[in-house]
Structure formats: C-alpha cells, structure tokens
C-alpha cells in the first residue's frame, strides 16, 4: 500500500512537471500537432489552448492553501517589471495606435498565472523533474524528425524546423527546436551522470543526448550552439580537477586503451568510407555554419570575404543589432534624458532584450529586467560549483542559453524569456530551504515552516 501511494504521488508530481514543460518548451510539440499532424494549421487559438492546458496540468491539489517560498528579491523584481510593462502598454506606448494590447495581455496573464502556480507547486517535484524533461524533449525531437522526413520541401543542409502556416520552406522557428535540444542535452547529461540512475535509463539518456546534439547542429542556431559550448566548458571547469585529468591521461597511455582508440579510429574511417553521404552532410553543415559566421566577422571588421572580391555583408539579425547599437549610441550622445523613463512600450525592435528594456522603459526597466538576469547568473554559477540537486543544476546550465539570448535576440516582454525566468525565480537561491532528502549535498533538516507558507486550513499542512 505504501508503494502504491508513493507511485500515485510520483505520477501527480510528473503531471505538474509535464505542465511546466508545456509552458517552457511546448512549442516544438505544439507545432508538430498543429502543422505536421494538420490539427489546426496556423491557429494561434490552438497554441493558446495548449499553453492553457499546461497551466491546468500544473495546478496542485494544495493550490490556494499552501505556497512555497521563492527567491523573494527576484520574485518582486520580475512581477514589478511585468506590471510596469502592462502600465506602459496602456499609458506610455511607444507605437501610436498600438493594436495588439489584447494579445499582449493574454501573454502577461499567462506569465503571471505561471508564476503563481510555480509558488504553489511543492518542492517534491525535484526527483521526477529531470526524467520528465528527458522524455518530453525526446518526444519533441522525434516529432521534428518525423516532420522533416515527411516534408517534401526540406532537404539536407536546410535548418531543421517545422514550416508554419503553409509558409515558405524553412520558414518556421528553429530557435524553439534548438532550445528543446539544449534543454534535452542538459537533462540527459544530468540523468546519465547520476549514480542512482538505472542502466536502462542511462542508455536512454545516452541515445537521447546524441539525438539532442544532432538536432542542435541541424537547427544551426548560434545562440544555442554557443550556450552548449559554454556549458561544456563550465561543467569541466567546476567538476574536473587537474589531478583527475592527469590520472585519466596516465590511464590512457596503456596497451588496452591505445588499442581501443586505434580500433575506434579505424572504425570511424570505415564508417565514413562506407557511408560517404553522412560525412558530406556533416561537412556541409560545419562549413556552412563557419562560413556564415566568418562572413559576419568580416563585415563587422569592414573586410572582404575570404577568397572573394566582394565586400562581406552582415546577415539580417546581426545587421539589425548593429543598427540598434547605433541608435542607442545616438541616444547616449544627444538624448540621454530620454532614458529616465524610456521611449515607451515597444518603441523600437532592437533585437537585444537588455538594450530594449533600457530604451523602452528607461533605467527602472533595465534595473528590473537586467536585475533578474544578473541574479539568476549569480545563483547559477554558485549552483554549478555546489551541485545541490538535479533541478537546480538543470536551471543553472539552462540559464546560459537565456543569458546569451538576452543579449542577442528577442524582446524583454516575450514568454520565451519569462517562463524560464519564472522557474529560476521559484527555485534558484532557495535550495537551502528544501528538505534534506531533496538535496544531494545537504543533510541538515530544514524547518517545514521555512519551506512554505500555509494560506488556509492549517490542519492540511
């Protein structure tokens, strides 16, 4: 009977985590069902209904009776920024005759409800969080692979995405799929490296992780690839010691490891000779990615493209950010007073969220939005050093993608920022309040009254 009750509780926690995944990473599956399965092509109502379904799945049975303590500083900074954005939208809009206030209010309602539900969700979701993320991202990747295989307009070399609303081939959003792959590879690494993980689930994590890396390469999104490289570097820095490197190096210089490496090298050569197409595909992706980014570097330096007579040109996104930097520089030089209150809600699409928060909502907007980003970074690096629990570690490395995107693409009002930031507000900097059995490196008991606040019905607590 006890085992049955534990199973029911675990399934209940998984239900909540699935709801969180739908909000934070639901677009790949939504696009799959909406466009590939043709349930509702181009329907924003379908997307809104799916996100609302995620919110419903998140509702715990203790909602309105028990709330858990988030990071209060980040919580109030985030909530005030969202309320300030709503206020600016109606009273100080930078776009004359703005027509999308109703749509934006739906987004803000989703964000605020998501934050409220997160502080109602128990900390006990931590043990099941990583397995659910692994399976959720795997399902999303398989949906993408199926879409690419069945899409007659997609060819090897194009960015991996699902075409939206019967648009031009490749006109979808590869960033949604690269985020899914980035989340998946982090979750797979955590699950794979945990000593308590069963061997079957280790194998699942290994193969799912390889698929995530493949999707990451196929989407060709710079922000996710840079975040992945940064995550690997930071993981090695915080978890691999020089003594371990020396020991590993000495263990490799032995007959058996050398023989295995030689056989492995010969096996790779044989594989690529037998399946030359695979090698050519990988080569094309790597060279195309490098060429596109070198073109941007040449353009920024005012140089000619390597081996060509024409002058290198910026791609659209980089060119837009260059214009944004020029705009902000002109503001600093001649209109500095405008940054006190900003130019108004969504005055100009700068494609750099941190800069747009300053330009639209002034110093206060920058302090609030940038403050949440900065505090998340502060706690993320501390978590990488301590590895307190799987959920905190996942959020710490996931933050790297949010950090890079906050200075490279998007707007500070988007749900793609605030759903992940809400997770960090809820769980970052408060792991010392979690029960001891939820933290890997903490064994001291925590006072139950510090973990949550009972709103009503004290007997149920």
């Amino acid at each position: 009977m006890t085992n049955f009750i534990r199973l029911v509780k675990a399934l209940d926690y998984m239900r909540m985590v699935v709801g969180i995944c739908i909000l934070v990473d639901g677009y790949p599956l939504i696009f799959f069902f909406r466009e590939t399965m043709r349930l509702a092509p181009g329907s924003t109502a379908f997307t809104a209904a799916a996100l609302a379904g995620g919110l419903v799945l998140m509702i715990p049975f203790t909602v309105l009776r028990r709330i858990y303590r988030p990071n209060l500083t980040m919580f109030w900074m985030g909530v005030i920024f969202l309320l300030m954005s709503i206020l600016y939208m109606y009273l100080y809009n930078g776009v004359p005759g703005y027509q999308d206030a109703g749509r934006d209010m739906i987004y803000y309602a989703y964000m605020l409800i998501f934050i409220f539900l997160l502080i109602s969700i128990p900390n006990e979701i931590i043990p099941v969080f990583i397995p659910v993320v692994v399976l959720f991202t795997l399902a999303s990747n398989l949906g993408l692979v199926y879409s690419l295989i069945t899409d007659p307009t997609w060819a090897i070399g194009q960015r991996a995405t699902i075409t939206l609303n019967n648009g031009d081939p490749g006109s979808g959003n590869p960033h949604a799929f690269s985020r899914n792959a980035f989340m998946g590879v982090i979750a797979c690494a955590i699950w794979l490296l945990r000593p308590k993980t069963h061997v079957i689930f280790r194998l699942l994590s290994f193969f799912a992780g390889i698929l995530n890396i493949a999707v990451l390469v196929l989407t060709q999104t710079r922000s996710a690839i840079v975040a992945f490289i940064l995550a690997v570097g930071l993981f090695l820095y915080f978890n691999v010691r020089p003594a371990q490197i020396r020991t590993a190096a000495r263990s490799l210089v032995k007959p058996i490891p050398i023989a295995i490496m030689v056989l492995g090298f010969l096996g790779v050569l044989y594989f690529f000779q037998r399946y030359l197409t695979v090698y050519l595909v990988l080569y094309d992706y790597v060279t195309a990615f490098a060429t596109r980014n070198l073109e941007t570097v040449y353009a920024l330096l005012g140089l000619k493209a390597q081996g060509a007579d024409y002058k290198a040109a910026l791609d659209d996104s980089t060119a837009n950010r260059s214009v944004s930097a020029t705009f902000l520089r002109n503001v600093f030089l001649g209109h500095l007073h405008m940054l006190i209150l900003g130019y108004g809600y969504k005055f100009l699409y700068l494609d750099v969220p941190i800069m747009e928060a300053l330009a639209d909502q002034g110093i206060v907007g920058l302090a609030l939005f940038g403050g949440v980003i900065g505090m998340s970074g502060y706690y993320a690096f501390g978590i990488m050093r301590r590895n307190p629990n799987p959920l905190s570690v996942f959020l710490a490395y996931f933050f790297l993608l949010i950090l890079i995107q906050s200075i490279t693409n998007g707007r500070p009002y988007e749900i793609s920022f605030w759903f992940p930031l809400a997770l960090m507000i809820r769980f970052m900097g408060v792991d010392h309040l979690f029960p001891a059995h939820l933290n890997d490196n903490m064994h001291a008991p925590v006072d139950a009254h510090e973990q949550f606040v009972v709103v009503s019905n004290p007997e149920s607590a």
Side-chain angles (χ1 to χ4, degrees):
M1 188 63 181
T2 302
N3 291 334
F4 176 74
I5 293 175
R6 288 178 180 174
L7 176 62
V8 171
K9 287 184 177 180
L11 292 175
D12 187 43
Y13 297 144
M14 288 181 181
R15 181 257 305 177
M16 299 178 201
V17 177
V18 169
I20 293 173
C21 289
I22 291 175
L23 273 297
V24 176
D25 184 43
Y27 278 107
L29 277 181
I30 292 173
F31 293 157
F32 170 75
F33 287 110
R34 202 183 76 181
E35 307 295 340
T36 304
M37 304 306 292
R38 312 298 296 173
L39 295 183
S43 173
T44 56
F46 182 88
T47 302
L51 296 177
L55 292 174
V56 172
L57 285 175
M58 287 177 60
I59 300 175
F61 292 115
T62 56
V63 69
L64 300 179
R65 291 189 289 133
R66 179 181 295 177
I67 61 174
Y68 291 78
R69 194 182 304 278
N71 187 309
L72 290 177
T73 304
M74 293 172 62
F75 173 81
W76 287 116
M77 291 175 72
V79 170
I80 291 172
F81 179 83
L82 294 177
L83 295 178
M84 182 178 174
S85 299
I86 296 172
L87 187 66
Y88 265 55
M89 181 173 63
Y90 286 108
L91 301 181
Y92 188 34
N93 202 306
V95 182
Y98 188 69
Q99 299 295 321
D100 295 326
R103 183 197 64 185
D104 286 6
M105 273 305 303
I106 295 175
Y107 292 150
Y108 288 122
Y110 275 44
M111 296 178 208
L112 293 171
I113 294 172
F114 184 64
I115 292 175
F116 170 74
L117 289 177
L118 279 178
I119 64 175
S120 302
I121 284 179
N123 298 319
E124 280 69 19
I125 67 167
I126 291 175
V128 302
F129 187 88
I130 296 300
V132 172
V133 172
V134 170
L135 296 175
F136 190 90
T137 55
L138 176 61
S140 300
N141 284 330
L142 293 176
L144 173 63
V145 171
Y146 176 82
S147 299
L148 297 179
I149 292 174
T150 57
D151 184 357
T153 65
W154 187 82
I156 296 293
Q158 290 180 310
R159 303 177 79 176
T161 185
I162 294 177
T163 302
L164 303 179
N165 197 19
N166 296 318
D168 297 330
S171 62
N173 182 6
H175 291 280
F177 297 95
S178 65
R179 168 183 285 201
N180 176 79
F182 184 77
M183 291 174 59
V185 75
I186 293 173
C188 288
I190 294 173
W191 212 18
L192 183 64
L193 295 175
R194 282 183 65 80
K196 297 180 181 179
T197 304
H198 192 275
V199 63
I200 295 178
F201 298 121
R202 286 180 187 273
L203 291 174
L204 174 63
S205 299
F206 178 75
F207 289 109
I210 292 177
L211 179 59
N212 281 306
I213 295 175
V215 170
L216 201 62
V217 173
L218 291 173
T219 55
Q220 303 182 56
T221 54
R222 280 174 289 196
S223 56
I225 292 174
V226 171
F228 174 70
I229 295 172
L230 186 58
V232 172
L234 288 171
F235 174 80
L236 295 176
Y237 175 78
F238 285 115
N239 295 278
V240 179
R241 301 292 180 264
Q244 294 174 302
I245 298 175
R246 288 193 295 269
T247 302
R250 283 195 295 266
S251 66
L252 291 176
V253 189
K254 293 180 179 180
I256 294 179
I258 291 176
I260 293 175
M261 286 188 288
V262 171
L263 290 175
F265 178 73
L266 294 175
V268 171
L269 288 180
Y270 174 78
F271 176 81
F272 282 132
Q273 286 180 346
R274 183 73 180 270
Y275 303 100
L276 184 61
T277 305
V278 176
Y279 169 78
L280 294 176
V281 168
L282 292 174
Y283 179 79
D284 288 342
Y285 269 103
V286 172
T287 54
F289 183 79
T291 300
R292 187 171 70 251
N293 287 280
L294 285 174
E295 181 87 0
T296 300
V297 173
Y298 293 145
L300 289 173
L301 297 176
L303 302 175
K304 292 183 178 180
Q306 189 175 14
D309 293 331
Y310 65 89
K311 190 173 182 179
L314 292 170
D315 59 42
D316 291 340
S317 60
T318 307
N320 189 50
R321 286 189 285 274
S322 179
V323 173
S324 302
T326 301
F327 164 77
L328 205 61
R329 183 170 61 250
N330 292 336
V331 172
F332 277 113
L333 293 177
H335 307 276
L336 191 59
H337 63 283
M338 290 299 299
L339 296 182
I340 298 175
L341 294 177
Y343 282 84
Y345 183 74
K346 291 189 175 181
F347 171 74
L348 183 64
Y349 180 59
L350 298 179
D351 208 17
V352 181
I354 290 285
M355 289 172 52
E356 185 166 343
L358 173 63
D360 290 355
Q361 299 187 25
I363 297 172
V364 176
L366 174 64
L368 294 173
F369 182 73
V372 174
I373 297 288
M375 291 189 68
S376 297
Y378 170 79
Y379 290 115
F381 288 110
I383 289 169
M384 292 177 192
R385 186 180 300 108
R386 295 182 293 110
N387 297 318
N389 60 75
L391 174 54
S392 296
V393 173
F394 172 83
L395 292 177
Y397 287 98
F398 183 27
F399 166 76
L400 297 175
L401 178 60
I402 304 303
L403 173 64
I404 291 173
Q405 290 182 337
S406 71
I407 58 178
T408 57
N409 62 80
R411 312 192 82 156
Y413 318 105
E414 294 177 354
I415 57 178
S416 60
F417 281 111
W418 282 104
F419 285 155
L421 287 177
L423 269 177
M424 295 167 195
I425 288 170
R426 167 64 177 89
F427 291 104
M428 276 190 168
V430 293
D431 53 83
H432 62 285
L433 299 178
F434 298 164
H437 68 277
L438 297 180
N439 278 324
D440 296 335
N441 300 324
M442 294 177 64
H443 305 286
V446 179
D447 186 354
H449 295 290
E450 293 183 358
Q451 300 169 32
F452 56 83
V453 176
V454 178
V455 179
S456 63
N457 193 10
E459 292 77 12
S460 66

